[in-house]
Amino acid sequence: MRPPPDPLPDDEWARLEGGIAVASSPQVRAAFAEARQRFNNFGGAVFAYQGVLGHPQQTGGAGMQMEESRTRADEAINEAERIMQAELANL
C-alpha cells in the first residue's frame, strides 16, 4: 500500500483556489471543486487508517477504504486536468 501524500499547505490550496476562481471556466471550477472534495474525503480516510494502524483486525478495512478513496480522488484530479487541457487546446 502506498503511503498517503503529505497534505497540501493551506496557503498552497488558497493559491490554487484563487487562480482557478479568477481565471477558469465554470466547468473547470466545478471539476476542481469535485477534486478538492474527493481529496478531502481521502484525507478523512487517511486519518481513519492511521487511527487503526496498531489494530491489525481493523487495518485491512480502513486500508481498503483509504485506497478506494485515493482512487476516487485521483480520478477527479485527472478529470479536472483533462478539462483544463481541453480548454487550453481550444485557445
Side-chain angles (χ1 to χ4, degrees):
M1 183 174 314
R2 293 182 294 161
D6 291 332
L8 205 57
D10 289 341
D11 61 331
E12 185 70 14
W13 275 117
R15 187 186 65 73
L16 276 170
E17 289 175 327
I20 287 173
V22 170
S24 298
S25 70
Q27 293 81 8
V28 168
R29 288 192 299 273
F32 180 81
E34 180 67 19
R36 173 85 193 258
Q37 180 62 46
R38 289 188 188 189
F39 188 81
N40 288 343
N41 292 344
F42 172 61
V46 168
F47 184 76
Y49 175 73
Q50 290 173 335
V52 299
L53 278 177
H55 307 281
Q57 69 277 14
Q58 297 174 334
T59 303
M64 187 180 332
Q65 288 176 348
M66 182 180 74
E67 287 303 313
E68 289 170 357
S69 184
R70 180 196 315 260
T71 297
R72 288 190 295 275
D74 286 344
E75 289 169 351
I77 291 167
N78 291 340
E79 178 63 9
E81 288 175 347
R82 185 195 66 73
I83 291 169
M84 287 182 230
Q85 289 169 353
E87 287 190 8
L88 287 172
N90 289 324
L91 292 180

